[in-house]
Amino acid sequence: MRLGLPPLAIRTRLTLWYTSVLFAILVVISVLSYSALAWSLRQDLDASLLTVARVVRDTGPAGAGPDLASEALRELLGPDFYDKFVQLFDPQGNLGFRSMPRALGTLPLSPEARDNARRGLPTFETVELPDKKRVRVVTLPLIVGGRVAQLIQAGLPLERMDHTLWRYAQTLLVLVPLGLLLAAAGGFAIARVALRRVDEMTRTARRITAEDLSQRIPVRGTADELDRLAETLNGMLVRLESTMVQLRRFTADAAHELRTPLTVLKGGIEVALRAERSGDEYRSVLASSLEEVERVSRLAEDLLLLSRLTAGVEGERTRVDLEPIVLEVFDLGSRLARETGVSLRLAGAEPAAVIGQPRSLWRALMNLVDNAVKYTPAGGKVELTLTRRDGRAELSVQDTGPGIDPAQLGRIFQPFVRLDDARARVQGGAGLGLAIARSIVVAHGGVLDVESTPGAGSRFIIRLPLAPEPA
Ligand code: ADP
């Protein structure tokens, strides 16, 4: 759990990230550019010092008086001699000539420089004077006849170079934070603009309630991530809207179905109560009332079952052999068929097992057989088959009834849909049988299909995945 700080808005977080990354980049660039500048200034300085030392060595003012020598050097070197100085030593390291401002005192001749000189090499050193001033010095030997004849030192205070570098550092110290500030402000503004649509979408989505699911989140047509998000949300709204419509229709249909038998019941009782009746008359009213009550109670049970099924099959799922279920349905179906003068035949039952809930599976198949027997006119035939095909168990119920109009095939599985209303009502259905059967089959991972030829008959097929063979 996070404590303390409130959550940061995405645009603030983006800006912070972006600014931190930019800061790191700018620091690296500043350090690199500062080092590069320092290196190149040092290179220039060393090259220029070496030039002065070489010129002195080659044209040397040895033996000249100090002032004259400075003059001569100034003339000789022009602007190159500006703020530089020269010292000459004999091979023993004794100072001879020097053109050095007194303020700088005397520069020492390091043992390393003398060593290098013996080998004919120049030496570059940075020397710190007692007053903390730093001086860059090159020591160059004059070799005559293979021996060091003189040591020439050219030097330059590093003040100017240090000053240049310090000014550069100051510039960076001002420019880097300024750049960061501008980038952060710019980044924040861009993030704000980019995320404004998200805010708009949030507001629109908030306005959409269950009462008004017809609103949609505007799609700009830019095909970017936000458009895709809007399309996804809109797709969800379409599904939600159609679910709501179905739910409303379902509730209205359910209320309607309940009202009809209740009205009949109420009417019967009211008529019976209007005058004194004989015992037989009361009995007949009660008997017909019981019929209506049974109808309502059946409907309530079906509704309850259907609503439970949408949340999945109830009860423990086990390995279920379909054969005994088929036989049981066949048994009960045969009795119903006898009453209506239809012949029910068991055309075959291969052994097949699925994973599921036996009572639910029995109910699904029973509903199909019940329909087939119910809607097939007397003298017709109904055939029940259990087979295995393509790794699935197939339960087929085929009848020689009136068939179903192809245009209506998709509708019959919806709750409360009855194609031949008058006849269906007489035969007792509320239009929930197929909806329940399909919910059960779907909850078992299967499909319920129908094939039908109007006038010739229908075939309902339950296809269920077979249970894995026990090891
Ligand atoms: P009902 O309670 O009316 O039987 P169902 O959901 O079981 O409700 O069936 C819906 C409708 O589908 C029925 O009203 C009927 O018109 C049609 N139907 C179902 N089974 C058959 C069939 N075997 N032959 C012809 N029509 C059928």
Side-chain angles (χ1 to χ4, degrees):
M1 198 174 71
R2 284 214 220 152
L3 291 172
L5 292 175
L8 293 175
I10 288 186
R11 54 176 165 270
T12 317
R13 260 187 285 163
L14 273 180
T15 312
L16 281 179
W17 268 108
Y18 160 75
T19 314
S20 316
V21 171
L22 188 64
F23 176 67
I25 293 173
L26 285 179
V27 166
V28 171
I29 288 179
S30 300
V31 169
L32 287 180
S33 69
Y34 183 90
S35 313
L37 180 64
W39 182 82
S40 100
L41 285 177
R42 170 84 39 96
Q43 288 296 103
D44 286 354
L45 200 138
D46 284 355
S48 146
L49 276 180
L50 197 61
T51 309
V52 170
R54 278 200 187 125
V55 171
V56 173
R57 182 189 63 187
D58 298 345
T59 60
D67 293 336
L68 188 69
S70 296
E71 275 310 309
L73 282 171
R74 197 155 284 129
E75 248 172 55
L76 200 63
L77 294 163
D80 239 4
F81 191 59
Y82 180 77
D83 75 3
K84 293 192 187 72
F85 57 84
V86 172
Q87 288 186 149
L88 300 180
F89 293 91
D90 65 15
Q92 283 69 44
N94 299 317
L95 181 65
F97 162 83
R98 70 178 198 158
S99 72
M100 192 168 166
R102 245 169 240 300
L104 289 177
T106 312
L107 292 175
L109 182 63
S110 72
E112 191 195 347
R114 285 169 75 170
D115 267 7
N116 281 344
R118 243 172 261 136
R119 277 179 274 140
L121 298 171
T123 311
F124 289 96
E125 291 161 299
T126 302
V127 181
E128 193 165 311
L129 297 179
D131 62 356
K132 300 282 174 219
K133 273 191 186 142
R134 295 186 318 137
V135 178
R136 185 74 175 162
V137 179
V138 62
T139 310
L140 192 69
L142 170 65
I143 311 276
V144 178
R147 298 185 52 212
V148 177
Q150 204 168 32
L151 291 160
I152 300 119
Q153 252 188 355
L156 172 74
L158 284 174
E159 242 172 331
R160 263 162 41 96
M161 190 186 98
D162 285 347
H163 188 65
T164 307
L165 282 174
W166 173 231
R167 262 208 319 258
Y168 183 64
Q170 278 176 319
T171 314
L172 286 177
L173 283 177
V174 173
L175 285 185
V176 166
L178 187 72
L180 269 186
L181 205 71
L182 288 177
F188 190 76
I190 292 171
R192 215 186 148 96
V193 172
L195 292 172
R196 192 178 294 151
R197 274 189 68 204
V198 176
D199 283 343
E200 276 171 23
M201 283 163 72
T202 311
R203 274 197 299 277
T204 316
R206 237 180 239 154
R207 272 203 307 274
I208 299 172
T209 59
E211 271 65 49
D212 182 15
L213 286 169
S214 61
Q215 282 198 54
R216 293 290 174 265
I217 292 164
V219 178
R220 289 238 187 118
T222 45
D224 57 9
E225 288 86 344
L226 291 180
D227 256 10
R228 284 205 296 279
L229 178 63
E231 275 161 11
T232 310
L233 287 174
N234 285 342
M236 212 168 77
L237 283 171
V238 168
R239 290 194 297 278
L240 210 61
E241 196 182 10
S242 95
T243 308
M244 284 304 280
V245 167
Q246 273 175 24
L247 202 65
R248 273 192 209 122
R249 193 187 306 142
F250 184 85
T251 315
D253 287 348
H256 182 76
E257 283 301 322
L258 284 168
R259 202 175 54 183
T260 314
L262 288 175
T263 311
V264 174
L265 194 59
K266 187 170 170 245
I269 295 172
E270 273 171 358
V271 169
L273 286 177
R274 225 169 267 160
E276 197 63 31
R277 310 277 176 193
S278 67
D280 275 354
E281 278 171 323
Y282 282 129
R283 218 165 281 123
S284 118
V285 170
L286 282 176
S288 74
S289 295
L290 186 63
E291 233 170 68
E292 294 304 324
V293 169
E294 271 167 358
R295 205 182 157 101
V296 174
S297 130
R298 229 177 11 246
L299 182 62
E301 264 165 34
D302 281 355
L303 282 174
L304 198 63
L305 179 66
L306 198 59
S307 90
R308 282 193 189 136
L309 279 170
T310 47
V313 207
E314 284 198 327
E316 210 189 322
R317 283 172 176 241
T318 50
R319 190 183 162 85
V320 184
D321 275 326
L322 292 177
E323 227 180 327
I325 293 181
V326 170
L327 291 176
E328 206 183 317
V329 169
F330 174 70
D331 208 35
L332 188 58
S334 304
R335 264 179 269 160
L336 294 174
R338 252 195 309 277
E339 281 168 29
T340 55
V342 173
S343 87
L344 177 64
R345 197 170 80 88
L346 183 59
E350 289 177 30
V354 297
I355 298 293
Q357 221 273 312
R359 248 11 258 169
S360 304
L361 291 169
W362 174 86
R363 176 70 189 259
L365 186 62
M366 192 63 226
N367 282 6
L368 298 185
V369 171
D370 186 41
N371 275 350
V373 170
K374 215 157 60 178
Y375 297 115
T376 304
K381 282 191 214 129
V382 176
E383 230 173 57
L384 180 59
T385 332
L386 165 61
T387 47
R388 293 158 62 121
R389 186 168 301 164
D390 306 330
R392 292 192 295 187
E394 269 191 19
L395 290 155
S396 143
V397 181
Q398 180 148 25
D399 64 48
T400 56
I404 299 159
D405 178 1
Q408 305 289 346
L409 276 184
R411 283 182 66 231
I412 54 170
F413 296 101
Q414 288 172 21
F416 303 112
V417 169
R418 283 180 299 226
L419 297 186
D420 185 354
D421 219 46
R423 187 184 56 183
R425 190 182 298 278
V426 171
Q427 285 160 331
L432 290 176
L434 286 179
I436 289 173
R438 187 161 77 165
S439 295
I440 291 171
V441 173
V442 169
H444 280 80
V447 282
L448 171 55
D449 291 322
V450 57
E451 297 158 4
S452 184
T453 318
S458 319
R459 182 173 176 232
F460 285 83
I461 312 139
I462 296 176
R463 293 191 172 95
L464 294 168
L466 284 170
E469 287 302 322

